[in-house]
Structure formats: C-alpha cells, structure tokens
C-alpha cells in the first residue's frame, strides 16, 4: 500500500534512509572479519568496535524515545552496548584512538533522526536495529576468536 500511495517502494525508501543514517559498520579493512588479519590487527579491530558502539549509543537512544513499546529491551541494548564499548576501550593500546562522538555530533544525529516523517520512522528504526545486529554479530565473532586464541596460547 505504501508503494502505491506514496509511489515509493521498500528498496528505494531503504536507500534514502540508509544513506542518511551513516551507521557504523565493520569492514575487512578494520581487521575484524578475517581470522588471519584479526590477530595482526587486533588493536585496530577493538578500536573500531568500541568506536562503533559509542556511535550506536545515539541511535539506540533515539529508538528508546520512539519505540516505546520495547523500551525495556532497547534500554538493555543501550546500557549493554555502552558497557561493552567502555570495556573494549580499556583493552586497546591507545584508548584515545577510540572515537566517542562529542555532544555536537550526538545532537546533530538526534536532530536528523527526529526530523524524519512518521512513515519513515519505522523504517529508520528497522534499519538501525538491522545494522546494529550485523555489527554485533561481527563483534561477537571477533571477540570470541580473540578470547579463544588468547586462552589457547596461555
């Protein structure tokens, strides 16, 4: 119905919203996705994961405000992500390399998210959660591998 009424279909709406969100992603260049590069770029990977989790905090905060029916679950994600970001930041060689969005950046993201039309809001939430899930799947794989290699070499 949205396709017919607004002449905008799912794929084009996704492109529109996703291009504006600039959500954190883990790529091969970060050294987190391949077991061979993960050991060589362990610090770079943990820095990228921690930075990404800190950036996701603002997006998860937005979801808390707008997706009130799941407020408790989103709150758990928010605090768990913040705790993991902080823990990983403490593990990197130079914690100052972890990028924590400043207040102006956070406010800019909030403003952009709040300016969305109501019918885009649900798609925005879906895209944030989808990308967060993908980011966390890669994070879990990288951390598990690092833990296993550390425990087997000890």
């Amino acid at each position: 119905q949205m396709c017919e009424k607004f002449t905008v279909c799912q794929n084009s709406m996704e492109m529109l919203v996703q291009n504006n969100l600039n959500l954190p992603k883990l790529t091969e260049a970060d050294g987190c996705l391949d077991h061979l590069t993960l050991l060589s770029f362990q610090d770079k990977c943990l820095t990228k994961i921690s930075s990404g989790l800190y950036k996701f905090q603002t997006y998860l905060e937005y979801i808390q405000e707008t997706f009130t029916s799941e407020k408790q679950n989103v709150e758990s994600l928010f605090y768990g992500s913040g705790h993991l970001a902080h823990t990983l930041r403490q593990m990197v060689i130079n914690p100052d390399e972890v990028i924590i969005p400043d207040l102006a950046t956070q406010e800019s993201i909030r403003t952009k998210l709040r300016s969305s039309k109501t019918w885009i809001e649900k798609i925005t939430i879906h895209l944030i959660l989808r990308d967060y899930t993908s980011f966390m799947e890669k994070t879990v794989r990288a951390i598990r591998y690092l833990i296993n290699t550390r425990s087997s070499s000890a």
Side-chain angles (χ1 to χ4, degrees):
Q1 287 178 342
M2 286 177 71
C3 251
E4 292 169 13
K5 188 171 183 177
F6 298 111
T7 63
V8 181
C9 292
Q10 181 71 19
N11 291 340
S12 58
M13 284 192 324
E14 251 186 74
M15 293 295 290
L16 169 74
V17 176
Q18 194 167 20
N19 285 341
N20 291 332
L21 290 177
N22 194 24
L23 295 165
K25 299 203 182 319
L26 292 176
T27 65
E28 286 191 36
D30 302 321
C32 296
L33 304 182
D34 181 9
H35 295 305
L36 298 174
T37 57
L38 182 56
L39 290 177
S40 305
F41 296 103
Q42 173 180 337
D43 198 62
K44 181 180 179 181
C45 174
L46 293 178
T47 299
K48 178 69 178 193
I49 290 171
S50 184
S51 296
L53 290 171
Y54 277 117
K55 186 170 183 184
F56 264 116
Q57 289 297 100
T58 307
Y59 292 98
L60 292 173
E61 191 176 65
Y62 165 76
I63 294 174
Q64 274 182 304
E65 294 172 8
T66 55
F67 197 23
T68 53
S69 65
E70 294 295 325
K71 186 173 181 140
Q72 190 173 2
N73 290 332
V74 178
E75 204 169 275
S76 294
L77 281 179
F78 178 81
Y79 289 113
S81 292
H83 180 71
L84 182 58
H86 179 74
T87 301
L88 294 176
R89 183 172 185 250
Q90 291 177 328
M91 293 172 63
V92 299
I93 294 168
N94 187 358
D96 293 334
E97 289 182 5
V98 172
I99 300 167
I100 302 173
D102 60 17
L103 292 175
T105 302
Q106 291 175 30
E107 195 50 44
S108 171
I109 292 170
R110 282 188 202 101
T111 300
K112 186 188 301 183
L113 290 170
R114 289 179 184 141
S115 69
S116 296
K117 302 275 186 241
T118 305
W119 59 276
I120 291 181
E121 188 176 273
K122 287 181 174 45
I123 294 165
T124 302
I125 290 169
H126 169 76
L127 290 172
I128 293 168
L129 291 174
R130 184 194 67 189
D131 282 17
Y132 177 80
T133 300
S134 173
F135 189 91
M136 289 306 296
E137 286 170 350
K138 292 170 184 163
T139 295
V140 167
R141 275 189 228 122
I143 291 173
R144 272 194 191 138
Y145 184 75
L146 289 172
I147 289 170
N148 288 337
T149 55
R150 282 185 181 173
S151 62
S152 65
S153 65

